[in-house]
Amino acid sequence: MKIVVDDKIPYIRDALARITPCVVYKRGTEISAADVRDADALIVRTRTRCDERLLAGSSVRFIATATIGFDHIDTDYLARAGIAWANCPGCNAGSVAQYVRSALLLLARDCGLRLHGGTIGVVGCGHVGSRVCAVARELGLRVLVCDPPLGSPGFVGMDAIEREADVITFHVPLTDGGTYATRHLADAAFFGRLARRPFILNTSRGPVVDNAALKAALAEGRVRQAVIDTWENEPLIDRELLGRVYIGTPHIAGYSADGKVNADNMAIDALCRFFGLPNPGRIVPPPLPPGFTYTDDPLQLYNPLCDSRRLKADPALFEELRGNYPVRREEAFVR
C-alpha cells in the first residue's frame, strides 16, 4: 500500500510507518500526478489541489485532508471518479479559539477594545464559531451570532452585526455558489454599511474578506483595526495590507500542537476505516518544556504578535513560517 503525504503534517510519521513501509512525503504544493499515479491514498493539507489534473489515471482510492476546510478538494470530480475523501471537522477549533482569545486581549490592551460591555459579532457558528462564542462570553463580551444555514433561534442577520458589533470575526467555509456564498462576504458594500468602526478578525478563509476592500476601509477609518490570519492569494499576500493590520499571521490560527494532533488522528482513523486496517494507536502532542508552569495568563501560552512580527519582518517567508511552525499548546491541555 502506498500513501503520499504532505511533508508538513507533523507527528504523523511513526503512526503511518506502522501501517505501511511505502509512504512518500512531499511538499504539498509539489505533489504531482506522477507522484500519485500508483498511490492508494493521499493525506494532504490545503496547499494540494485534489482535482482531475492531479488524479486522472491514478490508482488513488482515498484522500484525507488534515484540515477542517476542503475547498481545495474537487468533490464533484472525486464523486465521478469513485474516490472517497474525508476532512477533519472541528480538529483545530480549540486552537482557533485560543488565537481569537489572545487577539481580543491584545486589542483590549493596545487598541482600545472594551471587553466588558462590548459587542462581538460572530459570523459562522460551527465547530470553531461556537468555541469563539464561548471565549467571547468568558471575556465579558455580548455575543451576536449570524449563521443563516443553521437558522438557530436567537441568531441575527448580518444587518444587526453591521449595526451593533464592536468586533466582527469570521468563521465560515469558503463557498462560491448557492444562497449562502461566502466569497467576499465582507466586501466594499459590507464595509460601507458598518456603523461602529469595528475591529475585524478573519481566521476562516482568505477570500471571505475582500482584502482590497478591507485595506480601503482601514485607510478610510471605517474599520478601527484588523487581525488577519487568512489571506487572498496566499502565499503572495497583499504586503500593504499586512503593514496596515495590527496582527497579520501566516494562516496558523489553527496550528496548535493539540489541533494538529487531532487532525492527524482523525485522518488516520478515516484512512483505517476506509481500507479496513487496524489503527496504529493514538498520536499525542509533544511534552511541555521541563519546568514549565502555567500562570493562568493566556498570552503566556500564545501571543499572536510574535507570529505577526516574524511575518511582517519578511512576508516572503509566509510558507516557511507556516510549514515550520513552533510547538504551541492549548490551555485545556497544560493545566
Side-chain angles (χ1 to χ4, degrees):
M1 180 179 183
K2 178 180 176 181
I3 308 173
V4 177
V5 184
D6 184 315
D7 67 0
K8 299 304 182 184
I9 298 176
Y11 317 130
I12 202 171
R13 296 190 180 219
D14 288 345
L16 289 179
R18 292 193 289 274
I19 293 174
T20 175
C22 190
V23 184
V24 175
Y25 293 92
K26 289 201 69 173
R27 189 182 183 93
T29 54
E30 297 174 358
I31 294 174
S32 68
D35 297 318
V36 308
R37 186 168 294 118
D38 60 345
D40 300 285
L42 309 181
I43 303 179
V44 300
R45 300 184 307 154
T46 57
R47 291 300 187 252
T48 304
R49 177 68 182 167
C50 297
D51 56 12
E52 185 171 7
R53 180 179 299 182
L54 178 69
L55 298 163
S58 76
S59 57
V60 172
R61 292 188 285 153
F62 179 79
I63 298 171
T65 180
T67 59
I68 293 177
F70 54 89
D71 47 278
H72 55 294
I73 294 179
D74 186 339
T75 57
D76 291 336
Y77 170 72
L78 265 58
R80 294 195 304 272
I83 300 172
W85 66 277
N87 65 325
C88 300
C91 63
N92 62 4
S95 180
V96 177
Q98 178 189 47
Y99 179 102
V100 172
R101 179 197 293 270
S102 293
L104 292 172
L105 290 171
L106 290 166
L107 288 169
R109 187 191 75 183
D110 297 340
C111 302
L113 171 64
R114 184 167 58 100
L115 293 176
H116 290 276
T119 298
I120 187 170
V122 179
V123 183
C125 195
H127 291 285
V128 175
S130 59
R131 294 286 292 271
V132 168
C133 289
V135 162
R137 291 187 180 103
E138 289 170 9
L139 292 176
L141 286 158
R142 169 185 173 233
V143 178
L144 300 176
V145 181
C146 177
D147 195 325
L150 289 182
S152 179
F155 286 5
V156 302
M158 283 296 292
D159 57 336
I161 285 177
E162 292 162 358
R163 185 174 60 250
E164 300 180 39
D166 303 296
V167 182
I168 302 174
T169 182
F170 293 92
H171 304 285
V172 295
L174 178 61
T175 58
D176 285 293
T179 305
Y180 305 115
T182 62
R183 183 178 295 273
H184 285 189
L185 179 62
D187 59 6
F190 164 84
F191 291 115
R193 292 190 297 267
L194 297 176
R196 299 179 63 84
R197 296 185 62 240
F199 299 93
I200 298 292
L201 284 70
N202 186 20
T203 58
S204 56
R205 285 291 183 266
V208 168
V209 174
D210 181 334
N211 284 195
L214 172 60
K215 186 166 61 176
L218 285 164
E220 294 164 3
R222 295 180 182 276
V223 169
R224 290 185 65 180
Q225 250 308 346
V227 175
I228 304 298
D229 180 60
T230 54
W231 307 76
E232 292 193 281
N233 306 313
E234 294 178 10
L236 304 176
I237 65 174
D238 185 325
R239 296 189 179 195
E240 184 181 355
L241 178 59
L242 174 63
R244 283 186 175 275
V245 301
Y246 170 59
I247 295 174
T249 50
H251 201 153
I252 47 71
Y255 267 34
S256 73
D258 306 283
K260 290 182 177 183
V261 163
N262 287 340
D264 291 352
N265 284 320
M266 292 171 75
I268 288 177
D269 287 349
L271 176 85
C272 291
R273 281 196 305 271
F274 179 80
F275 288 102
L277 301 170
N279 196 292
R282 309 304 289 172
I283 302 169
V284 298
L288 292 163
F292 177 89
T293 302
Y294 181 48
T295 63
D296 290 330
D297 176 8
L299 296 176
Q300 177 196 11
L301 282 179
Y302 180 56
N303 186 332
L305 280 174
C306 298
D307 288 323
S308 182
R309 292 185 188 113
R310 284 189 283 266
L311 181 61
K312 290 187 176 189
D314 192 348
L317 295 180
F318 190 101
E319 286 293 81
E320 182 176 333
L321 293 170
R322 190 170 188 249
N324 299 285
Y325 194 65
V327 173
R328 166 181 140 213
R329 298 300 305 275
E330 295 175 32
E331 182 179 22
F333 301 96
V334 302
R335 288 187 178 279

